[in-house]
């Protein structure tokens, strides 16, 4: 007699979410390898091009909490499909641009809204609805999807931009986003009850909540209530520094900074892709640790170690990849977004069913920090002729983020109860 192995539907949803995040991550890899080609063709300054990235990062964060609420209203599948189309449009339309304001519109607004609708609040929504067991691990895997996309796209986009021009690279990103749409439509179910099952690890079926009305109002109400707590502000401040020291600075400016020290752009892009490779391992491991270790101490350790690596980075740039630079890539890569699983866990633990929307607002602060760093590093470069000061500032801020993380009160301390009244739907 043959026993048939049955895979829980939650893993199919996780697969679709992973692929969707990888498809959208194509654009996350694009700016760092396209800054120099755009400067050479149009003569735009680093600060001008960085402004488009800054707008993108800002909208990427500010869209997240509203997208999380919109998923409650319209469902995950519809929101993600629309987001992928926006990413494709924003990247594809750049091939027709002739002025810098068009770059701000395409890179900044269209792609910012699209990627923001599939930001990490999307991860929090999927894990909250579909997983009771192994939530931390799945959060780590889905968070690593962005790094996986970077790993896939960075070397390809760098080679295309170098040999075939930046327009070809932009079109590849657009087609990649569109290619994921059918997978999202087939596998990305909104709720376990839609397919007659339960969340993985749930002991009893959970009824699908009625579609919420007033999407924007709910997102703002959750923010109002969360903002009354100390936990929220400590998480938001630390995550703002997280964004500044990853997407905003390293993700945007590592390749041009390395190129200024004589390293070929394709080599620098490959190094940044390796950051993505080690980030996959680091983030999944972080999800595993989050299920077992106090997430506050995990965050403190991650930020402290990241700060040390950034303080050392200006001394590691060279025309070739020497062993110290390899050590940075491995060390920094393991830490890149390892902060996400413990942050998601703290939002879920402290804010209950509103946790995904609260995390959306915490993630918004992440992108505000990233936005400031992306533009600020460009200004520092244009003013001082190098990025050195930007690396040192980021390293110091990471030390501050470590202190903020360990200062988060334990459950039940100083008026910070578990699952506050905020957890009730407005």
């Amino acid at each position: 007699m043959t026993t048939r192995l049955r895979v829980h539907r939650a893993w199919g949803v996780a697969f679709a979410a992973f692929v969707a995040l990888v498809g959208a991550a194509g654009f996350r890899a694009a700016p760092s390898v396209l800054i120099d080609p755009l400067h050479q063709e149009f003569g735009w300054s680093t600060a001008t091009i960085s402004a488009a990235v800054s707008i993108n990062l800002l909208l990427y964060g500010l869209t997240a909490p509203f997208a999380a609420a919109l998923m409650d209203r319209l469902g995950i599948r519809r929101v993600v499909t629309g987001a992928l189309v926006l990413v494709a449009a924003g990247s594809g339309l750049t091939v027709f641009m002739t002025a810098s304001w068009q770059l701000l519109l395409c890179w900044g607004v269209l792609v910012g809204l699209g990627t923001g609708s599939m930001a990490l609040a999307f991860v929090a929504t999927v894990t909250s609805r579909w997983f009771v067991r192994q939530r931390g691990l799945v959060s780590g895997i889905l968070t690593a999807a962005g790094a996986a996309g970077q790993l896939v796209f960075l070397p390809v986009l760098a080679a295309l931009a170098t040999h075939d021009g930046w327009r070809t690279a932009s079109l590849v990103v657009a087609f990649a986003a569109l290619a994921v749409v059918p997978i999202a439509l087939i596998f990305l179910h909104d709720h376990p009850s839609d397919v007659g099952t339960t969340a993985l690890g749930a002991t009893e079926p959970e009824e699908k909540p009625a579609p919420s009305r007033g999407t924007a109002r709910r997102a703002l109400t959750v923010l109002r209530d969360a903002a009354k707590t100390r936990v929220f502000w400590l998480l938001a401040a630390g995550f703002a520094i997280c964004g500044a020291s990853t997407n905003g600075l390293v993700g945007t400016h590592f390749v041009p900074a390395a190129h200024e020290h004589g390293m070929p752009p394709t080599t620098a892009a490959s190094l940044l892709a390796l950051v993505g490779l080690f980030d996959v391992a680091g983030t999944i491991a972080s999800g595993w640790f989050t299920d077992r270790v106090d997430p506050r101490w995990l965050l403190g350790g991650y930020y402290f170690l990241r700060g040390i690596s950034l303080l050392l980075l200006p001394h590691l740039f060279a025309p070739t990849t020497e062993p110290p630079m390899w050590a940075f890539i491995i060390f920094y890569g393991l830490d890149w977004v390892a902060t996400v699983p413990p942050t998601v866990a703290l939002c879920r633990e402290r804010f209950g069913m509103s946790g995904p929307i609260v995390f959306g607002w915490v993630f918004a602060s992440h992108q505000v920090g990233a936005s400031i760093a992306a533009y600020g590093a460009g200004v520092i470069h244009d003013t001082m002729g190098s990025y050195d000061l930007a690396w040192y500032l980021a390293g110091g801020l990471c030390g501050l983020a470590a202190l903020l993380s360990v200062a988060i009160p334990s459950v039940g301390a100083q008026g910070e109860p578990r699952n506050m009244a905020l957890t009730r739907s407005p």
Side-chain angles (χ1 to χ4, degrees):
M1 182 175 178
T2 303
T3 302
R4 186 175 180 180
L5 180 63
R6 187 176 180 182
V7 178
H8 196 283
R9 289 276 193 141
W11 293 114
V13 174
F15 163 76
F18 185 92
V19 174
L21 289 166
V22 169
F27 181 81
R28 313 286 347 134
S32 62
V33 298
L34 298 186
I35 288 177
D36 282 342
L38 290 175
H39 171 71
Q40 292 170 11
E41 177 167 336
F42 297 104
W44 299 333
S45 68
T46 302
T48 297
I49 301 171
S50 297
V53 181
S54 179
I55 293 171
N56 170 275
L57 293 171
L58 184 62
L59 285 177
Y60 181 53
L62 294 178
T63 303
F66 295 99
L70 193 62
M71 288 177 188
D72 287 344
R73 171 72 171 157
L74 299 179
I76 298 174
R77 180 185 296 170
R78 292 180 181 178
V79 173
V80 169
T81 300
L84 288 167
V85 171
L86 278 178
V87 172
S91 185
L93 289 174
T94 58
V95 302
F96 303 109
M97 67 184 178
T98 56
S100 60
W101 69 265
Q102 295 163 345
L103 178 68
L104 300 180
L105 176 63
C106 291
W107 271 21
V109 178
L110 292 180
V111 178
L113 291 173
T115 53
S117 297
M118 290 191 303
L120 296 178
F122 166 48
V123 173
T125 300
V126 169
T127 55
S128 294
R129 291 188 185 184
W130 281 92
F131 292 88
V132 173
R133 189 173 69 246
Q134 298 180 324
R135 273 180 176 168
L137 177 62
V138 176
S139 293
I141 293 172
L142 294 183
T143 301
Q150 179 174 281
L151 172 65
V152 171
F153 285 105
L154 257 175
V156 174
L157 296 180
L160 289 173
T162 301
H163 300 294
D164 300 303
W166 65 267
R167 288 178 175 81
T168 300
S170 295
L171 289 175
V172 167
V173 172
F175 288 135
L178 288 178
V180 179
V181 170
I183 297 176
L185 290 174
I186 295 171
F187 294 104
L188 200 55
H189 302 292
D190 293 325
H191 194 273
S193 62
D194 290 344
V195 288
T197 188
T198 61
L200 180 65
T203 55
E204 297 180 359
E206 181 179 348
E207 186 177 346
K208 182 178 181 179
S212 60
R213 297 186 179 276
T215 299
R217 184 174 66 251
R218 185 182 180 210
L220 293 172
T221 300
V222 169
L223 172 63
R224 180 198 65 195
D225 293 342
K228 297 175 183 178
T229 70
R230 181 185 175 193
V231 169
F232 175 80
W233 290 109
L234 290 171
L235 285 171
F239 226 42
I241 295 172
C242 180
S245 57
T246 52
N247 304 61
L249 182 57
V250 176
T252 304
H253 295 285
F254 178 85
V255 173
H259 183 49
E260 286 188 350
H261 288 78
M263 185 179 293
T266 50
T267 302
S270 296
L271 288 177
L272 196 55
L274 284 175
V275 168
L277 174 64
F278 288 104
D279 178 44
V280 172
T283 307
I284 293 174
S286 178
W288 187 86
F289 281 120
T290 298
D291 289 331
R292 293 161 175 81
V293 180
D294 187 333
R296 300 173 302 154
W297 293 103
L298 286 178
L299 286 177
Y302 295 155
Y303 287 131
F304 177 74
L305 294 173
R306 182 187 298 172
I308 292 175
S309 67
L310 288 173
L311 291 173
L312 295 174
L313 180 58
H315 308 285
L316 305 181
F317 285 117
T320 58
T321 53
E322 303 296 332
M325 177 58 81
W326 285 112
F328 169 82
I329 293 300
I330 295 171
F331 188 81
Y332 182 84
L334 290 171
D335 191 79
W336 174 273
V337 288
T339 54
V340 173
T343 304
V344 170
L346 285 168
C347 288
R348 183 175 59 245
E349 177 185 79
R350 305 306 176 87
F351 303 104
M353 293 302 295
S354 292
I357 298 177
V358 174
F359 178 73
W361 285 113
V362 172
F363 182 70
S365 73
H366 181 282
Q367 295 309 110
V368 170
S371 175
I372 293 171
Y375 181 69
V379 172
I380 288 173
H381 174 270
D382 289 346
T383 303
M384 307 188 70
S386 78
Y387 286 105
D388 287 358
L389 179 59
W391 307 122
Y392 293 137
L393 287 174
L397 286 172
C398 285
L400 175 60
L403 295 176
L404 293 172
S405 299
V406 298
I408 295 173
S410 59
V411 175
Q414 300 182 12
E416 298 289 355
R418 182 191 297 268
N419 292 351
M420 297 170 291
L422 171 63
T423 62
R424 296 192 297 268
S425 298

